[in-house]
Amino acid sequence: MSSADPLIIFDTTLRDGEQSPGASMNAEEKLRIARALEKMKVDVIEAGFPIASPGDFESVKAVAETVKESVVCGLARALPKDIEAAGAALKPAARGRIHTFIATSPIHMEKKLRMSPDQVVEQAVQAVKWARQHTDDVEFSPEDAGRSEPDFLCRILEAVIDAGATTLNIPDTVGYNLPHQFGALIGDLIERIPNSDKAIFSVHCHNDLGLAVGNSLSAVLNGARQVECTINGLGERAGNASLEEVVMAVRTRQDLFSCDTRLDTTQIVPCSKLVSSITGFPVQPNKAVVGSNAFAHESGIHQDGVLKQRETYEIMRAEDVGWTANKMVMGKHSGRSALKSRLHDLGFDFETQEELNDAFARFKDLADKKHEIYDDDLLALVNDSTQSAGDERYRLVSVKVCSETGETPQAEVVMMVDGEEKSAGASGAGPVDAVFGAIESLVQSQAKLDLYSVNSITEGTDAQGEVTVRLDKDGVMINGQGSDTDIVIASAKSYIHALNRVSEPLEQRAHPQL
Ligand code: KIV
Ligand code: ZN
């Protein structure tokens, strides 16, 4: 363990990350991610925005009831009803934090809030005092700090520290700042605010110019001791600073940083895969740290160098961030306890015996079709099995397609719809189009298909295909995923997964506009 200063990692995948269009998650999915974050030793988990909807409230409460090692945080505007909701949702938490915010940039104060700077200071101080009635751990954010007047920031931040704020988070809400400028702002605030030693300075950077990680690191070099970030850089618009990049930059460059996180970095890749499969946002292959090519060496010169001495072309070890050799791990004859134990090593634990039994049945099915089962196959399999929890409205029973050169593809689909078996046929431009047409004629969702993508989970023509679809239902984006060795079946599963989410009550997904 290093003797460096602690750098607090505040993960906001479940709050800002969920604000990515299409990334909404249900309470059970949020809980799975929260457990993975806790296992990775994230210090603070921002679990949601309790006032946003009953669904958000319940998921923050569920995370607060479950997570014991990390601080659980809830977001609240600087309004009494928001702070009440956050306080109530966090009541069961072993350690709960309320994060309250109000905008401080001239454009936001004038055009959005229609409040004077004096009124904003007054409201911020009140909000912190209200929040302190629920917990001693109160974070305050001056929204759009990156475009706020530094003198005004000094004034409001000094006042909220006096009112009891223990963390001051400086957001670059619209991702406008450059690293040297943002670092200087943080250094300046710490130096100029007379009571700055009474609070931890935090940063929250958006990635509109691709600078979220650079800005966060520059802030850390200038005294910030908390970074707000998300798994895979998920978040509003272009996203937030990516947790894996911030953590590994600080860990790898200990020659430059006088602080370090306490994260178990071997959990990074499993966590990234979990978030990707739950949200349906694939990770680009060339993404730093967690992309599938992040440790792949294509050129002969590089391969030769790495074979002679790994450090010639690698600054991190793949195993330190949780990449395991994607080796053949199991086969047809492997038993239930081998499946359970291998998945435990990969960071996945079954909640109930039924879940294990269900996954084992799918595993046997897969092993019949595919000789060699890899780690990634197992992860896809459990993600698929938790997608069909048994209480969903729609379930695929069977698919039959007929696709022939020169002929129009035809599909027949049998599905359970609200407990009743129904079937329909359709033709289409291709087999997937025909299957989606048949499903749609049974479900009549009228959702628009916004995105369709297929990835191969492992290599070879017998690999499982992982299909992601995004549906647009009345302006709300919903993703779905499905995997199978047959990509037409994987497509049907992903479409039905998304339709089940479309049919969840709207209040479980809605977010107010900030
Ligand atoms: O980007 C932002 O300003 C936020 C605040 C609520 C911290 O997400
Ligand atoms: Zn944000």
Side-chain angles (χ1 to χ4, degrees), residues 100-102 104 120-122 124-125 128 139-143 145-146 148-171 185-186 188-202:
T100 186
F101 71 97
I102 190 165
T104 51
V120 168
V121 174
E122 164 85 29
V125 165
V128 169
E139 173 169 327
F140 172 76
S141 290
E143 191 193 6
S148 302
E149 300 284 345
D151 288 351
F152 184 58
L153 285 177
C154 287
R155 177 178 161 208
I156 195 167
L157 293 174
E158 181 181 351
V160 294
I161 297 174
D162 279 343
T166 44
T167 301
L168 301 179
N169 178 49
I170 313 302
L185 172 69
I186 301 302
D188 223 33
L189 293 174
I190 294 175
E191 200 179 294
R192 287 177 55 197
I193 296 172
N195 50 2
S196 65
D197 59 319
K198 305 218 164 37
I200 304 263
F201 277 73
S202 165

Side-chain angles (χ1 to χ4, degrees), residues 47-205:
F49 193 174
I51 194 74
S53 70
D56 255 41
F57 181 92
E58 287 308 324
S59 28
V60 174
K61 186 159 167 255
V63 173
E65 282 162 352
T66 308
V67 166
K68 296 287 168 254
E69 301 298 323
S70 313
V71 172
V72 180
C73 177
L75 185 68
R77 287 168 297 188
L79 298 171
K81 62 176 179 176
D82 283 40
I83 291 167
E84 279 305 307
L90 292 168
K91 210 166 169 109
R95 286 181 298 151
R97 171 182 298 187
I98 295 179
H99 175 191
T100 186
F101 71 97
I102 190 165
T104 51
S105 61
I107 182 170
H108 277 234
M109 289 192 290
E110 232 178 82
K111 307 287 179 205
K112 183 181 85 171
L113 299 176
R114 301 209 165 92
M115 286 168 78
S116 70
D118 286 351
Q119 288 170 321
V120 168
V121 174
E122 164 85 29
Q123 184 92 7
V125 165
Q126 274 308 327
V128 169
K129 288 185 179 161
W130 292 321
R132 281 297 299 244
Q133 288 169 11
H134 297 274
T135 170
D136 291 345
D137 189 347
V138 174
E139 173 169 327
F140 172 76
S141 290
E143 191 193 6
D144 203 17
R147 293 188 300 170
S148 302
E149 300 284 345
D151 288 351
F152 184 58
L153 285 177
C154 287
R155 177 178 161 208
I156 195 167
L157 293 174
E158 181 181 351
V160 294
I161 297 174
D162 279 343
T166 44
T167 301
L168 301 179
N169 178 49
I170 313 302
D172 184 17
T173 303
V174 291
Y176 180 68
N177 282 230
L178 299 186
H180 71 287
Q181 177 193 15
F182 195 62
L185 172 69
I186 301 302
D188 223 33
L189 293 174
I190 294 175
E191 200 179 294
R192 287 177 55 197
I193 296 172
N195 50 2
S196 65
D197 59 319
K198 305 218 164 37
I200 304 263
F201 277 73
S202 165
V203 288
H204 174 114
C205 297

Side-chain angles (χ1 to χ4, degrees), residues 145-368:
R147 293 188 300 170
S148 302
E149 300 284 345
D151 288 351
F152 184 58
L153 285 177
C154 287
R155 177 178 161 208
I156 195 167
L157 293 174
E158 181 181 351
V160 294
I161 297 174
D162 279 343
T166 44
T167 301
L168 301 179
N169 178 49
I170 313 302
D172 184 17
T173 303
V174 291
Y176 180 68
N177 282 230
L178 299 186
H180 71 287
Q181 177 193 15
F182 195 62
L185 172 69
I186 301 302
D188 223 33
L189 293 174
I190 294 175
E191 200 179 294
R192 287 177 55 197
I193 296 172
N195 50 2
S196 65
D197 59 319
K198 305 218 164 37
I200 304 263
F201 277 73
S202 165
V203 288
H204 174 114
C205 297
H206 279 271
N207 206 29
D208 299 67
L209 294 173
L211 295 171
V213 170
N215 283 340
S216 304
L217 295 175
S218 173
V220 172
L221 289 170
N222 283 279
R225 284 296 174 267
Q226 173 177 291
V227 176
E228 302 200 354
C229 44
T230 57
I231 304 290
N232 300 336
L234 223 59
E236 276 277 357
R237 305 183 309 280
N240 289 64
S242 118
L243 176 144
E244 52 280 1
E245 294 176 21
V246 169
V247 167
M248 289 317 292
V250 172
R251 183 70 51 92
T252 306
R253 297 308 307 267
Q254 279 293 293
D255 55 329
L256 296 179
F257 288 94
S258 59
C259 56
D260 197 6
T261 72
R262 55 176 205 110
L263 237 74
D264 173 0
T265 59
T266 62
Q267 296 301 315
I268 285 179
V269 168
C271 218
S272 156
K273 288 187 176 176
L274 178 68
V275 170
S276 165
S277 84
I278 286 180
T279 57
F281 276 56
V283 174
Q284 75 195 56
N286 57 326
K287 166 90 171 63
V289 186
V290 293
S292 55
N293 287 349
F295 292 88
H297 299 280
E298 181 68 20
S299 106
I301 297 173
H302 288 208
Q303 286 172 354
D304 178 56
V306 169
L307 285 173
K308 287 179 175 142
Q309 172 85 42
R310 189 185 57 79
E311 288 82 0
T312 50
Y313 287 100
E314 279 187 7
I315 57 167
M316 296 169 271
R317 295 193 320 167
E319 54 272 37
D320 289 348
V321 296
W323 284 108
T324 50
N326 197 15
K327 50 185 183 290
M328 205 268 277
V329 284
M330 298 185 67
K332 210 178 165 117
H333 303 293
S334 308
R336 206 175 300 249
S337 53
L339 175 72
K340 188 174 167 194
S341 133
R342 185 65 205 154
L343 278 162
H344 173 78
D345 293 345
L346 293 171
F348 185 95
D349 291 305
F350 292 100
E351 295 275 291
T352 62
Q353 187 65 26
E354 282 75 46
E355 258 182 44
L356 170 61
N357 292 346
D358 181 41
F360 189 64
R362 287 162 186 264
F363 163 70
K364 284 286 174 188
D365 232 28
L366 182 63
D368 271 341

